[in-house]
Amino acid sequence: MRALVYLGPGSAALQDRPDAQLLNGDDVVVEVVGTGVCGTDRKILLGRFPARPGVVLGHESVGVVRAAGPQVRAVAVGDRVVVNPTLYCGWCVPCRRGATNFCRHKTGTEVGVDRDGTYAERVTLPERFVVPVPAGLSFRAAVLIEPLACVLNNVGAAAVSFDDTVVVLGAGPIGMLTALVAARQARRVVVAEQDGYRLGLAREQFAHVVDVAGADAAEAVLKASDGERPSLVFDTTGVGLDAALRLVDDGGRIVVMGFDDAYAVPLHPLKLTNRGISLIGAGDYRADIFPVAVDLAAELCRPGSADGGVPFLERLVTHEFPLERYEDAFAALGGLVRRAPGTGGGDPGGRTDAAGPDGGERVPGPPPGYGALKVVIRSHAGPVGADGWPVGA
């Protein structure tokens, strides 16, 4: 089968790999229909998030069950499913207390990081890590279930309440989903973004959107809010903690969501103490949150819940590419660029340095523009119906 394999920072290639097959009695083989491009995938290729060279990338996946082991009970051949890529052992101390996202036996189990992922035609997974997709849920909505689970975990960790004023830094797919979920509970949600394309999409959905291009994000948001500081800031960029610390109100909370191993910021604990600021890192999601995300996706897409006839989740998927055009998929998200140390990645006001073809000398330039929101790489090459699923699935 064809699979997109990570070769090292800045390098990936389509390769022929042995076809997926049942290895254990509780295994299922999923024919991958498509996989959303996650910011983590880009950062792996940029060398800003660790992954094992030789691994098949991809984890935000939906597909159809094509084979099932004799012990499988929850799904059957032909079922549409969404992949839960956050594997866990179930018996270590964190798992036993419900914190499956902090399983102590993660080595070799992170789908698309150090275990083969879903930018491939098929994938093998234990039964408990594939969940049936509700009837009537389109392919484009279903592919957002996994990032929606991440958002639910982080918004839940923040304990959003009706009297919160929330700022979301970044209007990528995670930022848009965070704003959507937070807005169901908070008094007001403000979205801050520097990219013109994503600003336009955010303004179609949210009443309070701030353009921070060429400006200090904290100052721009405060100016737009007449100096009122938010009680809660979500940094979905992975590089906005400095801005969040300068922006949040005394006694407020900051949730750090984005992943960027190259980003660091000086932190003075006394400022947290004196101002009563809480820093929250919630990780991805526990096992019990994933089915909640499945149900919420179905609720958000039920008839009558969409503006203009297209549900919000479906509108987030703006581009789809076949597996062999993976380079075009990444190009739609600003391409694969490197940033100079300390400049951030996708953060408001950050400076971008484009890497040479060999990943060597960096040439200063403006931030890359996005031409897409959620990009999907389709592994299934056959005909699809109006709902995006393969004909007959």
Side-chain angles (χ1 to χ4, degrees), residues 44 62 138-139 168 177 191 202 241 304 310 333 390:
I44 288 173
V62 295
S138 73
F139 161 77
V168 178
L177 287 171
V191 178
L241 179 57
V310 181
L333 294 171

Side-chain angles (χ1 to χ4, degrees), residues 4 36 59 74 92 98 110 160 229-230 253 256 268 270 291:
L4 180 59
H59 61 276
C92 69
E110 296 278 7
V160 181
R229 296 182 179 275
R253 296 102 71 207
V256 183
H268 301 280
L270 185 59

Side-chain angles (χ1 to χ4, degrees), residues 233-260:
V233 179
F234 291 94
D235 170 30
T236 71
T237 71
V239 292
L241 179 57
D242 175 69
L245 286 166
R246 291 183 287 109
L247 176 61
V248 72
D249 200 2
D250 293 347
R253 296 102 71 207
I254 297 171
V255 182
V256 183
M257 295 179 65
F259 294 168
D260 194 325

Side-chain angles (χ1 to χ4, degrees), residues 48 262-263 337-345 350-354 362-364:
R48 286 157 42 194
Y263 175 73
V337 299
R338 296 178 185 272
R339 290 179 182 266
T343 63
R351 179 173 62 87
T352 300
D353 288 2
R362 299 171 179 178
V363 181

Side-chain angles (χ1 to χ4, degrees), residues 11 69 96 99 118 161 215 221 239-240 279 315 375 385:
S11 182
R96 290 202 303 270
T118 57
S161 68
V221 172
V239 292
L279 287 182
R315 293 202 301 272
V375 173

